[in-house]
Amino acid sequence: MMTFDYTVSSDKPIETLLTDLEASLKDIQFGVLWPFNVKETLQNKGQDFDQDYYIYEVCNPPLAKKLLDRSNLAGAFLPCKLVIYESGDKRYITLPKPTKQFTMLDDPEIHQLAEEIEVKLIDALHKTV
């Protein structure tokens, strides 16, 4: 069965994992546009949520432009997301696969770009953990 995500695990402390992830993304010309600390936000809204949980929205501007030049609908899947969370004694980084998301757009060039993005992000995840 083909899953919609690609997930890696790490024994690194969450702070180290986040720092290393940002460095690995920078190496492939991806930047973190928005680091969302879910735990902090929910707690600030009065919700009892104690799990370290982050959502990073990441972007490579030249690749994003190529996608948007092909279809305005590509923006529905941009920026790419990474979910970083702690469960038990492990930390995880999950990438919703661009190759799964962009299949909804019937354009072979977009599918090729999605594959390129996915390969780059998976490589960054492996260099992080």
Side-chain angles (χ1 to χ4, degrees), residues 4 7 14-15 21 26-27 33 35 47 75-76 87 95 113 124:
F4 82 96
T7 300
I14 194 80
E15 296 80 14
L21 176 59
K26 187 176 180 181
D27 288 344
L33 301 174
Q47 300 302 308
S87 181
L95 164 69
L113 288 166

Side-chain angles (χ1 to χ4, degrees), residues 22 39 47 67 70 77-78 93 103 120:
E22 290 178 26
K39 175 181 173 179
Q47 300 302 308
L67 287 165
R70 294 292 302 176
F77 308 111
L78 296 174
I93 305 172
T103 58
K120 286 177 181 286

Side-chain angles (χ1 to χ4, degrees), residues 1 6 15 19 27 30 35 44-45 47 51 60 69 77 81 94 105 113 117 124-125:
M1 182 170 104
Y6 188 88
E15 296 80 14
T19 300
D27 288 344
F30 272 75
N44 287 341
K45 301 292 182 184
Q47 300 302 308
Q51 180 184 7
N60 174 301
D69 283 347
F77 308 111
K81 285 189 184 205
T94 295
L105 301 177
L113 288 166
I117 291 166
L125 297 188

Side-chain angles (χ1 to χ4, degrees), residues 6-29:
Y6 188 88
T7 300
V8 295
S9 66
S10 176
D11 294 322
K12 292 180 180 180
I14 194 80
E15 296 80 14
T16 304
L17 186 64
L18 294 172
T19 300
D20 291 352
L21 176 59
E22 290 178 26
S24 295
L25 290 168
K26 187 176 180 181
D27 288 344
I28 60 166
Q29 287 78 49

